[in-house]
Amino acid sequence: MKTQSKLYFYLTISTIFLVILAISALYIGVYDFNGVSPFTILGQYIKGEPQLSLSDKYVIWDVRSSRIVMAILIGSMLAVSGTTLQGLFKNPLATGEAIGLTSGATLLAAFAIVLGGHFKQYLPEVIQFSLVGISAFIGALLAMMLVYRISTSAGKTNVVMMLLSGVAITSIGFSITGFLIYISKDEQLRDLSFWNMGSLAAATWTKNIVLAVVIVISYTILLPKGKALNAMMLGEKDAQHLGVNVEKLKKQIVIITSLMIGTSVAFSGTIGFVGLIVPYILRLLFKSNYVFILPLSAVLGSILLLIADTISRSIVAPSELPIGILTSLIGGPIFIAILIKFKKSL
């Protein structure tokens, strides 16, 4: 009960901080509301007051609010996916980027963008509408299955093989994506540039609804797995003796993390290192206790990406710095720090 009380306390504090950040982000931007508070305008829109100007409504609801919500949802999913992968592989370097999931998702999304026009009309209308998203999910899932198959032997995962196979898949993925960029048309080239650098500029409420559905499904399965991931830290055999269905847990994590990363890449492009930074910070505070790390990563990931997105759209205003550049700039030094720490433990 004491552990649960501590967890609820940290979750409450971090959630309050996230809400404060979200409200603050509404006030940041180049658009002038003529002295009226953006929060007041948002309230007027929700109440349906007729005197609200269309431009004010568009900026506050369709641009800023939808973008803030997307940052919260995608940041949370990327952080949780990174945390669960690290728990599964028992290694702090296991992230979607390091083991090739992001590359796989980006590659198939690039295929859908560049070559989808040749066969899209033959597909059902529902699939046509979400072809890029479905392709990104399949790409992430295939990459995850390939890495797991290469790096696992006799029920044991070789961390070095996992990272090396991730590097290989990332290299192949980026080379083929580069070829697709070379043969793409101008409009397709703009879309592909969006994927490679990452951005939340294309946020819409329809996309946020899809993300919210994915989060509800994913978190219902993953968030209660804290104790199981703690048991996995002892080794697969010990985890089985403690009552953990290891194979079922592996399959769930593989599929759900692929779903989350694939959906995130489909809507925001490549945003790296969130799944590395957040678990690293939480591990400094709570060691490797996934009962704390897993649920808290859901909130801290939202906080990190919301801060990064707010900076990216204001630091070079009225232009926008791609958010993937900013998260990589933050995550690169942390990745090096983890490598140095990992080297010393050998």
Side-chain angles (χ1 to χ4, degrees), residues 18-29:
L18 176 61
V19 171
I20 293 170
L21 281 175
I23 295 172
S24 302
L26 277 176
Y27 288 79
I28 298 173

Side-chain angles (χ1 to χ4, degrees), residues 127-274:
I127 296 178
Q128 287 183 30
F129 176 74
S130 54
L131 179 61
V132 177
I134 293 171
S135 300
F137 164 63
I138 294 172
L141 181 61
L142 291 175
M144 182 72 216
M145 290 171 65
L146 185 58
V147 168
Y148 187 77
R149 182 65 63 89
I150 292 171
S151 61
T152 302
S153 177
K156 293 183 179 180
T157 302
N158 187 308
V159 174
V160 175
M161 286 293 293
M162 176 195 70
L163 295 174
L164 290 176
S165 58
V167 169
I169 290 171
T170 299
S171 177
I172 294 169
F174 283 152
S175 64
I176 299 174
T177 302
F179 174 73
L180 291 171
I181 291 172
Y182 178 75
I183 66 172
S184 64
K185 299 175 182 178
D186 287 344
E187 184 179 346
Q188 295 168 345
L189 184 60
R190 284 194 295 270
D191 289 338
L192 287 170
S193 298
F194 158 77
W195 297 113
N196 287 329
M197 291 188 290
S199 173
L200 301 179
T204 65
W205 285 107
T206 301
K207 292 177 181 178
N208 286 338
I209 290 171
V210 174
L211 289 167
V213 171
V214 171
I215 273 193
V216 170
I217 295 171
S218 302
Y219 286 8
T220 300
I221 297 170
L222 287 186
L223 290 188
K225 303 296 184 187
K227 290 183 179 178
L229 289 174
N230 283 347
M232 287 289 287
M233 296 297 291
L234 302 173
E236 293 185 10
K237 289 185 178 180
D238 289 333
Q240 284 179 332
H241 290 314
L242 291 172
V244 177
N245 189 332
V246 173
E247 289 305 315
K248 182 180 178 182
L249 180 66
K250 288 178 183 177
K251 289 175 183 177
Q252 287 177 336
I253 290 176
V254 166
I255 294 172
I256 296 300
T257 53
S258 300
L259 174 63
M260 292 194 292
I261 291 174
T263 308
S264 299
V265 170
F267 290 158
S268 66
T270 305
I271 300 177
F273 290 104
V274 175

Side-chain angles (χ1 to χ4, degrees), residues 35 65 76 213 216 226 238 285 331 339:
S65 295
S76 182
V213 171
V216 170
D238 289 333
L285 299 173
L339 284 173

Side-chain angles (χ1 to χ4, degrees), residues 13 24 45 103 139 149 215 244 249 273 291 314 326 336-337:
I13 295 298
S24 302
Y45 171 74
S103 175
R149 182 65 63 89
I215 273 193
V244 177
L249 180 66
F273 290 104
V291 172
S314 58
L326 192 61
I336 293 171

